[in-house]
Amino acid sequence: MSVVSDDDATEKVPKEIYEAELQRLQVELSHLKDWVVDKGQRVLVIFEGRDAAGKGGVIARITQNLSPRVVRVVALPAPTEREKTQWYFQRYVEHLPAAGEIVIFDRSWYNRAGVEPVMGFCTKKQHKRFLEQAPVFEKMLVDDGIHLRKYWLDISEEEQERRFADRAKDPLKQWKLSPIDLASRDRWAEYQRRRDEMFKHTDSAESPWWVVESDDKRRSRLNLMSHLLESIPYTFTKTPPVKLPKRPPAKDQHHPPASVRRVPDHAAEVIRAVARKG
C-alpha cells in the first residue's frame, strides 16, 4: 500500500490556497465525468478509514458539482436478516457502476475486515473467508474494465478524539456519533491490528490500497482528489457550448391570487431584529 501525503508537510493549508486548488480540481472532476459518460467507462471508488477521518467531507467535495445521474454515493445500512444469509458480496454487486457511471462507496464490503470482527458482528470463519475472497472478487471487477480505487483515510488518535468532542457539543454534528463510533474509542489498538491484517491480504497490484493522512482536512482533500484524477487515464472530452434559445415574449403574466397561501417572510423579521440590536 502507498501513502497519499507529504510526510514533511506540517503547515496547515491556507484557506485561499485551498479554495483555489479545490475549485481547479472540481473542474477537472467535471472533465473526468464527461469522459466517463462519453466513453462508457465505469469508475468505482471505495472510501474506508477511521471514524471521524473525513470520508464524508471529501466525498461531498468530489460530488459537489457533479450530476447525481452520473455520480452515485452508496452508503448501505446494516444488512437485513435476509441479506445476512446471502453471499457476503451480493448486496454490493447491485450497486456497482454501469457504463457511464461513477460510484462512490462510503464504506463498503470492507466492513467485514474492520468493524465486524472488532465488534463481534461476524465469526472468525466469515472474516477469514472474506480476506480470501476479496482480492479475487476485486480482480474480477478490474479484469472486467472497472476503474477501482481504494482509499484508507488515516487519522491520529488525538485528532479523532478532538473531532469526537467537537461532534458531541455541536447539535448539528451529533448525528455523526453512532454507538459504534463511541465504542471504537476503547478499541483503537484492535482496529489498528485489523487494518494491518486487511492491508496484508487485500493490497494487490490489481487493486492497491492508498493511505491518505487526514489530520489536516484541507490537505487530505486536495491530496486525495488530485491522486484520484491522476490515477485514471481520462482525456478531455469537448462538449458543445450551451446556448440559450431566444426567450419568447412574456404574455399574460400574473402573480398568484391573493387567496393563495404564502410563506411568511422570516428573512425580513431576522433583518429587522438585527437592525434593532445594531
Side-chain angles (χ1 to χ4, degrees):
M1 116 272 317
S2 301
V3 179
V4 181
S5 70
D6 183 348
D7 293 336
D8 297 325
T10 57
E11 181 184 359
K12 293 287 186 180
V13 178
K15 182 178 180 180
E16 62 274 13
I17 294 177
Y18 166 73
E19 291 181 346
E21 180 62 8
L22 177 65
Q23 184 179 44
R24 187 190 72 81
L25 292 171
Q26 288 176 331
V27 170
E28 283 301 314
L29 283 166
S30 72
H31 295 327
L32 171 63
K33 179 265 298 178
D34 291 340
W35 173 79
V36 167
V37 172
D38 184 61
K39 303 298 182 182
Q41 296 290 321
R42 294 171 292 166
V43 175
L44 175 62
V45 187
I46 289 176
F47 284 90
E48 294 287 347
R50 289 282 190 175
D51 297 316
K55 294 180 292 296
V58 70
I59 290 172
R61 272 64 180 185
I62 289 173
T63 61
Q64 184 175 354
N65 299 297
L66 301 179
S67 169
R69 297 182 181 89
V70 176
V71 183
R72 291 187 289 113
V73 177
V74 177
L76 297 183
T80 65
E81 291 303 314
R82 179 176 182 275
E83 288 172 334
K84 290 178 182 178
T85 68
Q86 297 174 342
W87 176 48
Y88 178 71
F89 295 92
Q90 189 168 335
R91 75 186 189 124
Y92 294 99
V93 169
E94 65 176 296
H95 298 283
L96 295 175
E101 291 183 346
I102 299 173
V103 172
I104 296 173
F105 277 173
D106 184 355
R107 295 205 180 275
S108 65
W109 45 77
Y110 281 101
N111 282 328
R112 181 140 292 181
V115 64
E116 289 192 15
V118 171
M119 301 302 297
F121 297 155
C122 70
T123 66
K124 291 182 179 178
K125 184 177 180 180
Q126 288 172 326
H127 177 238
K128 180 175 182 292
R129 184 186 305 128
F130 170 81
L131 293 178
E132 294 170 348
Q133 291 184 349
V136 179
F137 176 62
E138 291 173 3
K139 187 176 187 304
M140 292 170 62
L141 301 182
V142 174
D143 287 348
D144 201 59
I146 291 178
H147 298 273
L148 174 60
R149 300 294 180 270
K150 300 187 303 190
Y151 292 104
W152 175 273
L153 275 68
D154 210 20
I155 186 175
S156 66
E157 192 171 4
E158 296 75 18
E159 179 61 17
Q160 184 191 61
E161 186 65 14
R162 189 195 68 77
R163 293 182 189 179
F164 277 167
D166 180 57
R167 291 177 178 184
K169 67 184 180 183
D170 187 342
L172 299 180
K173 296 180 180 179
Q174 287 174 0
W175 66 271
K176 295 182 177 183
L177 276 178
S178 70
I180 299 297
D181 295 334
L182 297 176
S184 71
R185 296 170 69 243
D186 300 324
R187 295 172 170 86
W188 179 270
E190 177 64 8
Y191 271 103
Q192 199 90 332
R193 188 173 73 82
R194 295 295 184 180
R195 181 205 64 183
D196 294 346
E197 187 179 18
M198 177 190 75
F199 285 159
K200 178 181 177 181
H201 288 86
T202 64
D203 179 53
S204 65
E206 296 86 6
S207 179
W209 276 103
W210 291 92
V211 177
V212 184
E213 303 292 351
S214 300
D215 276 11
D216 181 346
K217 289 183 179 181
R218 292 175 183 170
R219 184 181 299 278
S220 67
R221 290 168 185 171
L222 298 183
N223 289 344
L224 193 154
M225 293 167 68
S226 173
H227 181 271
L228 175 62
L229 288 163
E230 291 176 359
S231 72
I232 298 176
Y234 71 98
T235 55
F236 178 76
T237 300
K238 188 174 182 179
T239 56
V242 177
K243 185 177 181 180
L244 293 177
K246 186 176 181 181
R247 191 168 187 148
K251 295 181 180 179
D252 301 324
Q253 285 193 339
H254 298 285
H255 290 292
S259 60
V260 174
R261 295 180 180 85
R262 287 170 168 78
V263 173
D265 194 350
H266 172 73
E269 294 178 7
V270 173
I271 293 171
R272 287 194 292 270
V274 171
R276 287 194 295 269
K277 290 181 180 179

